[in-house]
Amino acid sequence: MRVTEDKGKGGVTSAGGPGRSPAASARRAQIVDAAIETLAELGHGQTTFARIRERADISSTRLISYHFGTKGELMSAVLEEVGLRAHHAISQRVAGETTAAGALRARIEAQVEWVAGNRSAVRAMYEICLNERAPDGTLRYGMAPSARANVEALEPILRAGQESGEFRQFDTGLMALTLKSAIDAAIVRMTHPPCLTLAQCVGELTTLAELATRRES
């Protein structure tokens, strides 16, 4: 799910930072949250400082430019924040597992559940990744960094399962990509008719992962 690297620990988010006062951090967090909701509702093209100011209920767009400078800087902060929130929630679930099979199941469950419970944040991430442009007109982000981060998060779990003897031998890169693609497909099925429930998607995905990785008798 991550688009940016996780630099924080615990509950620290992108709104905080060295040298920032609590008031400044709170204001940045308020603006980022308003940007997330605006992106989710109106899309990237209609997300302006003026609309974010209205949603954040602040007095002037100058407060936004003071903290972020440009729309591009704010979009980067939104991506970082969404990535940190997802990574924190998912990694906490995985950290409590003592087996590779348990960690794999926990990661799949946590990722799908986080997406289902944070639709605005996910929508905002997609809007930025698919629409934010560099000065030369090319996409600044695209979806490749997020896809790569998800695959890279799955591979260590798969390798650990092979090393412990829990999983059969397979190419961990291909398996990680296969599971990532299945997770993406399940997320689509939760939001596009005929919709599956969260429980159905989690159940199918975890069953698929178990059958695909378990040791051969």
Side-chain angles (χ1 to χ4, degrees), residues 47-87:
T47 295
T48 62
F49 278 12
R51 292 189 181 276
I52 294 168
R53 181 201 67 78
E54 292 174 3
R55 190 173 292 272
D57 194 24
I58 55 181
S59 60
S60 171
T61 57
R62 285 179 293 184
L63 283 171
I64 302 175
S65 57
Y66 171 79
H67 286 284
F68 296 100
T70 66
K71 180 178 177 179
E73 290 178 24
L74 177 54
M75 295 301 98
S76 294
V78 169
L79 278 186
E80 182 181 5
E81 179 64 20
V82 172
L84 286 171
R85 290 179 186 179
H87 179 64

Short mmCIF file of all heavy atoms in Angstrom, two decimals, residues 47-87:
data_model
loop_
_atom_site.label_atom_id
_atom_site.label_comp_id
_atom_site.label_asym_id
_atom_site.label_seq_id
_atom_site.Cartn_x
_atom_site.Cartn_y
_atom_site.Cartn_z
N THR A 47 -9.45 19.73 -6.98
CA THR A 47 -8.88 19.96 -5.65
C THR A 47 -7.97 21.18 -5.71
O THR A 47 -6.85 21.10 -6.21
CB THR A 47 -8.11 18.73 -5.15
OG1 THR A 47 -9.04 17.65 -4.98
CG2 THR A 47 -7.43 19.00 -3.81
N THR A 48 -8.46 22.29 -5.22
CA THR A 48 -7.71 23.54 -5.20
C THR A 48 -7.51 23.99 -3.76
O THR A 48 -8.19 23.50 -2.84
CB THR A 48 -8.48 24.64 -5.95
OG1 THR A 48 -9.73 24.88 -5.27
CG2 THR A 48 -8.77 24.22 -7.38
N PHE A 49 -6.60 24.91 -3.56
CA PHE A 49 -6.39 25.46 -2.22
C PHE A 49 -7.68 26.08 -1.70
O PHE A 49 -7.97 26.01 -0.50
CB PHE A 49 -5.27 26.49 -2.23
CG PHE A 49 -3.88 25.89 -2.15
CD1 PHE A 49 -3.67 24.53 -2.32
CD2 PHE A 49 -2.78 26.69 -1.90
CE1 PHE A 49 -2.39 23.98 -2.24
CE2 PHE A 49 -1.50 26.16 -1.83
CZ PHE A 49 -1.31 24.80 -2.00
N ALA A 50 -8.45 26.70 -2.59
CA ALA A 50 -9.70 27.34 -2.16
C ALA A 50 -10.69 26.31 -1.63
O ALA A 50 -11.34 26.54 -0.59
CB ALA A 50 -10.32 28.11 -3.33
N ARG A 51 -10.82 25.18 -2.30
CA ARG A 51 -11.75 24.14 -1.84
C ARG A 51 -11.24 23.47 -0.57
O ARG A 51 -12.02 23.11 0.32
CB ARG A 51 -11.97 23.11 -2.94
CG ARG A 51 -12.74 23.67 -4.13
CD ARG A 51 -13.14 22.57 -5.09
NE ARG A 51 -13.86 23.08 -6.24
CZ ARG A 51 -15.17 23.34 -6.27
NH1 ARG A 51 -15.89 23.13 -5.18
NH2 ARG A 51 -15.73 23.79 -7.37
N ILE A 52 -9.93 23.29 -0.47
CA ILE A 52 -9.36 22.71 0.75
C ILE A 52 -9.56 23.67 1.92
O ILE A 52 -9.88 23.25 3.04
CB ILE A 52 -7.87 22.39 0.54
CG1 ILE A 52 -7.69 21.29 -0.51
CG2 ILE A 52 -7.22 21.96 1.86
CD1 ILE A 52 -6.27 21.10 -0.98
N ARG A 53 -9.39 24.96 1.67
CA ARG A 53 -9.61 25.96 2.73
C ARG A 53 -11.03 25.87 3.26
O ARG A 53 -11.26 25.92 4.48
CB ARG A 53 -9.37 27.37 2.17
CG ARG A 53 -9.54 28.47 3.22
CD ARG A 53 -9.81 29.82 2.61
NE ARG A 53 -11.10 29.85 1.94
CZ ARG A 53 -12.26 29.98 2.57
NH1 ARG A 53 -12.31 30.02 3.90
NH2 ARG A 53 -13.39 30.00 1.89
N GLU A 54 -12.02 25.73 2.35
CA GLU A 54 -13.41 25.62 2.78
C GLU A 54 -13.62 24.39 3.64
O GLU A 54 -14.28 24.46 4.69
CB GLU A 54 -14.32 25.56 1.55
CG GLU A 54 -14.38 26.84 0.73
CD GLU A 54 -15.18 26.66 -0.54
OE1 GLU A 54 -15.73 25.57 -0.75
OE2 GLU A 54 -15.24 27.62 -1.33
N ARG A 55 -13.09 23.27 3.22
CA ARG A 55 -13.30 22.03 3.97
C ARG A 55 -12.58 22.05 5.31
O ARG A 55 -13.08 21.52 6.30
CB ARG A 55 -12.84 20.83 3.15
CG ARG A 55 -13.24 19.49 3.75
CD ARG A 55 -12.90 18.36 2.80
NE ARG A 55 -13.72 18.38 1.62
CZ ARG A 55 -14.90 17.77 1.52
NH1 ARG A 55 -15.40 17.12 2.56
NH2 ARG A 55 -15.58 17.82 0.39
N ALA A 56 -11.39 22.66 5.33
CA ALA A 56 -10.62 22.72 6.58
C ALA A 56 -11.14 23.81 7.51
O ALA A 56 -10.75 23.87 8.68
CB ALA A 56 -9.15 22.97 6.27
N ASP A 57 -12.01 24.68 6.97
CA ASP A 57 -12.58 25.79 7.75
C ASP A 57 -11.48 26.67 8.34
O ASP A 57 -11.45 26.95 9.53
CB ASP A 57 -13.49 25.25 8.87
CG ASP A 57 -14.36 26.34 9.48
OD1 ASP A 57 -14.61 27.36 8.79
OD2 ASP A 57 -14.77 26.20 10.65
N ILE A 58 -10.58 27.09 7.45
CA ILE A 58 -9.52 28.02 7.86
C ILE A 58 -9.73 29.34 7.13
O ILE A 58 -10.44 29.41 6.12
CB ILE A 58 -8.11 27.46 7.58
CG1 ILE A 58 -7.95 27.05 6.12
CG2 ILE A 58 -7.84 26.27 8.50
CD1 ILE A 58 -6.60 26.47 5.79
N SER A 59 -9.10 30.37 7.60
CA SER A 59 -9.42 31.73 7.16
C SER A 59 -8.90 32.09 5.78
O SER A 59 -9.50 32.91 5.08
CB SER A 59 -8.89 32.74 8.17
OG SER A 59 -7.47 32.63 8.31
N SER A 60 -7.79 31.49 5.35
CA SER A 60 -7.18 31.92 4.10
C SER A 60 -6.36 30.80 3.46
O SER A 60 -5.80 29.95 4.17
CB SER A 60 -6.25 33.13 4.35
OG SER A 60 -5.50 33.45 3.21
N THR A 61 -6.31 30.83 2.13
CA THR A 61 -5.48 29.85 1.43
C THR A 61 -4.00 30.09 1.71
O THR A 61 -3.17 29.19 1.49
CB THR A 61 -5.71 29.92 -0.10
OG1 THR A 61 -5.44 31.26 -0.55
CG2 THR A 61 -7.13 29.54 -0.46
N ARG A 62 -3.67 31.29 2.20
CA ARG A 62 -2.27 31.58 2.51
C ARG A 62 -1.75 30.69 3.63
O ARG A 62 -0.54 30.42 3.71
CB ARG A 62 -2.10 33.05 2.88
CG ARG A 62 -2.16 33.98 1.68
CD ARG A 62 -2.03 35.43 2.07
NE ARG A 62 -3.19 35.88 2.85
CZ ARG A 62 -3.37 37.13 3.26
NH1 ARG A 62 -2.46 38.05 3.01
NH2 ARG A 62 -4.45 37.45 3.95
N LEU A 63 -2.65 30.23 4.50
CA LEU A 63 -2.24 29.29 5.55
C LEU A 63 -1.80 27.96 4.93
O LEU A 63 -0.90 27.30 5.45
CB LEU A 63 -3.38 29.06 6.53
CG LEU A 63 -3.64 30.17 7.56
CD1 LEU A 63 -4.93 29.89 8.32
CD2 LEU A 63 -2.46 30.28 8.52
N ILE A 64 -2.44 27.58 3.84
CA ILE A 64 -2.06 26.34 3.17
C ILE A 64 -0.70 26.51 2.49
O ILE A 64 0.20 25.68 2.64
CB ILE A 64 -3.12 25.92 2.14
CG1 ILE A 64 -4.48 25.76 2.82
CG2 ILE A 64 -2.70 24.62 1.44
CD1 ILE A 64 -5.62 25.46 1.87
N SER A 65 -0.55 27.60 1.73
CA SER A 65 0.72 27.82 1.02
C SER A 65 1.87 28.07 1.99
O SER A 65 3.03 27.77 1.68
CB SER A 65 0.59 28.98 0.04
OG SER A 65 0.17 30.16 0.69
N TYR A 66 1.56 28.58 3.17
CA TYR A 66 2.60 28.77 4.19
C TYR A 66 3.18 27.43 4.61
O TYR A 66 4.41 27.28 4.77
CB TYR A 66 2.04 29.50 5.40
CG TYR A 66 2.99 29.55 6.58
CD1 TYR A 66 4.03 30.47 6.62
CD2 TYR A 66 2.85 28.66 7.66
CE1 TYR A 66 4.91 30.51 7.69
CE2 TYR A 66 3.73 28.70 8.73
CZ TYR A 66 4.75 29.63 8.74
OH TYR A 66 5.63 29.66 9.81
N HIS A 67 2.32 26.45 4.79
CA HIS A 67 2.78 25.14 5.26
C HIS A 67 3.28 24.23 4.14
O HIS A 67 4.16 23.39 4.37
CB HIS A 67 1.65 24.43 6.01
CG HIS A 67 1.37 25.01 7.36
ND1 HIS A 67 2.19 24.78 8.45
CD2 HIS A 67 0.38 25.82 7.81
CE1 HIS A 67 1.70 25.42 9.52
NE2 HIS A 67 0.61 26.06 9.15
N PHE A 68 2.74 24.39 2.93
CA PHE A 68 3.07 23.44 1.87
C PHE A 68 3.62 24.08 0.60
O PHE A 68 4.14 23.38 -0.26
CB PHE A 68 1.84 22.58 1.52
CG PHE A 68 1.41 21.71 2.67
CD1 PHE A 68 0.35 22.08 3.49
CD2 PHE A 68 2.10 20.54 2.95
CE1 PHE A 68 -0.04 21.28 4.55
CE2 PHE A 68 1.72 19.73 4.02
CZ PHE A 68 0.65 20.11 4.82
N GLY A 69 3.48 25.38 0.45
CA GLY A 69 4.05 26.06 -0.70
C GLY A 69 3.22 25.92 -1.96
O GLY A 69 2.63 26.87 -2.44
N THR A 70 3.20 24.72 -2.52
CA THR A 70 2.49 24.47 -3.77
C THR A 70 1.54 23.29 -3.61
O THR A 70 1.64 22.51 -2.66
CB THR A 70 3.47 24.15 -4.91
OG1 THR A 70 4.13 22.90 -4.61
CG2 THR A 70 4.52 25.25 -5.05
N LYS A 71 0.66 23.14 -4.60
CA LYS A 71 -0.24 21.99 -4.60
C LYS A 71 0.56 20.70 -4.68
O LYS A 71 0.23 19.70 -4.03
CB LYS A 71 -1.22 22.08 -5.76
CG LYS A 71 -2.19 20.90 -5.84
CD LYS A 71 -3.18 21.06 -6.99
CE LYS A 71 -4.09 19.84 -7.09
NZ LYS A 71 -5.08 19.98 -8.20
N GLY A 72 1.64 20.72 -5.47
CA GLY A 72 2.47 19.52 -5.59
C GLY A 72 3.06 19.09 -4.27
O GLY A 72 3.10 17.90 -3.96
N GLU A 73 3.51 20.05 -3.46
CA GLU A 73 4.06 19.72 -2.15
C GLU A 73 2.98 19.14 -1.24
O GLU A 73 3.23 18.19 -0.48
CB GLU A 73 4.67 20.96 -1.51
CG GLU A 73 5.95 21.44 -2.18
CD GLU A 73 6.49 22.70 -1.56
OE1 GLU A 73 6.19 22.97 -0.37
OE2 GLU A 73 7.21 23.45 -2.24
N LEU A 74 1.77 19.69 -1.33
CA LEU A 74 0.68 19.17 -0.53
C LEU A 74 0.30 17.76 -0.97
O LEU A 74 0.05 16.88 -0.13
CB LEU A 74 -0.54 20.10 -0.63
CG LEU A 74 -1.81 19.65 0.11
CD1 LEU A 74 -1.52 19.35 1.58
CD2 LEU A 74 -2.90 20.71 -0.04
N MET A 75 0.28 17.51 -2.27
CA MET A 75 -0.04 16.17 -2.76
C MET A 75 1.00 15.15 -2.28
O MET A 75 0.66 14.02 -1.93
CB MET A 75 -0.12 16.17 -4.28
CG MET A 75 -1.25 17.01 -4.88
SD MET A 75 -2.93 16.56 -4.35
CE MET A 75 -3.25 17.76 -3.04
N SER A 76 2.26 15.56 -2.25
CA SER A 76 3.30 14.67 -1.74
C SER A 76 3.06 14.35 -0.27
O SER A 76 3.24 13.21 0.17
CB SER A 76 4.68 15.31 -1.91
OG SER A 76 5.01 15.45 -3.28
N ALA A 77 2.66 15.37 0.50
CA ALA A 77 2.38 15.16 1.92
C ALA A 77 1.19 14.24 2.12
O ALA A 77 1.18 13.41 3.04
CB ALA A 77 2.13 16.51 2.60
N VAL A 78 0.19 14.36 1.26
CA VAL A 78 -0.98 13.47 1.35
C VAL A 78 -0.56 12.03 1.08
O VAL A 78 -0.94 11.10 1.81
CB VAL A 78 -2.08 13.90 0.37
CG1 VAL A 78 -3.17 12.83 0.27
CG2 VAL A 78 -2.70 15.22 0.81
N LEU A 79 0.23 11.81 0.05
CA LEU A 79 0.69 10.45 -0.26
C LEU A 79 1.48 9.86 0.90
O LEU A 79 1.32 8.70 1.26
CB LEU A 79 1.57 10.46 -1.51
CG LEU A 79 0.89 10.45 -2.87
CD1 LEU A 79 1.92 10.31 -3.97
CD2 LEU A 79 -0.14 9.33 -2.97
N GLU A 80 2.37 10.68 1.47
CA GLU A 80 3.17 10.20 2.60
C GLU A 80 2.28 9.83 3.76
O GLU A 80 2.46 8.78 4.40
CB GLU A 80 4.18 11.26 3.02
CG GLU A 80 5.08 10.80 4.17
CD GLU A 80 6.07 11.86 4.61
OE1 GLU A 80 6.02 13.00 4.09
OE2 GLU A 80 6.89 11.55 5.49
N GLU A 81 1.30 10.68 4.05
CA GLU A 81 0.42 10.42 5.19
C GLU A 81 -0.41 9.16 4.98
O GLU A 81 -0.52 8.33 5.90
CB GLU A 81 -0.50 11.63 5.40
CG GLU A 81 -1.48 11.47 6.54
CD GLU A 81 -0.81 11.37 7.89
OE1 GLU A 81 0.36 11.77 8.02
OE2 GLU A 81 -1.45 10.86 8.84
N VAL A 82 -0.99 8.99 3.80
CA VAL A 82 -1.78 7.79 3.53
C VAL A 82 -0.91 6.55 3.63
O VAL A 82 -1.31 5.53 4.22
CB VAL A 82 -2.44 7.89 2.13
CG1 VAL A 82 -3.09 6.55 1.75
CG2 VAL A 82 -3.47 9.01 2.11
N GLY A 83 0.29 6.63 3.07
CA GLY A 83 1.20 5.49 3.15
C GLY A 83 1.58 5.13 4.57
O GLY A 83 1.61 3.95 4.94
N LEU A 84 1.85 6.14 5.39
CA LEU A 84 2.21 5.89 6.79
C LEU A 84 1.06 5.28 7.57
O LEU A 84 1.25 4.36 8.37
CB LEU A 84 2.67 7.19 7.45
CG LEU A 84 4.06 7.71 7.06
CD1 LEU A 84 4.27 9.11 7.61
CD2 LEU A 84 5.14 6.77 7.57
N ARG A 85 -0.13 5.80 7.35
CA ARG A 85 -1.30 5.26 8.07
C ARG A 85 -1.51 3.79 7.73
O ARG A 85 -1.74 2.95 8.62
CB ARG A 85 -2.55 6.05 7.71
CG ARG A 85 -2.59 7.47 8.25
CD ARG A 85 -3.86 8.18 7.81
NE ARG A 85 -3.86 9.58 8.20
CZ ARG A 85 -4.85 10.43 7.93
NH1 ARG A 85 -5.91 10.01 7.24
NH2 ARG A 85 -4.77 11.69 8.31
N ALA A 86 -1.46 3.47 6.44
CA ALA A 86 -1.66 2.08 6.02
C ALA A 86 -0.56 1.19 6.55
O ALA A 86 -0.82 0.10 7.09
CB ALA A 86 -1.73 2.01 4.49
N HIS A 87 0.69 1.63 6.40
CA HIS A 87 1.82 0.82 6.83
C HIS A 87 1.78 0.57 8.34
O HIS A 87 2.04 -0.55 8.79
CB HIS A 87 3.12 1.50 6.45
CG HIS A 87 4.34 0.74 6.88
ND1 HIS A 87 4.65 -0.50 6.38
CD2 HIS A 87 5.31 1.04 7.78
CE1 HIS A 87 5.77 -0.94 6.95
NE2 HIS A 87 6.18 -0.03 7.80
#
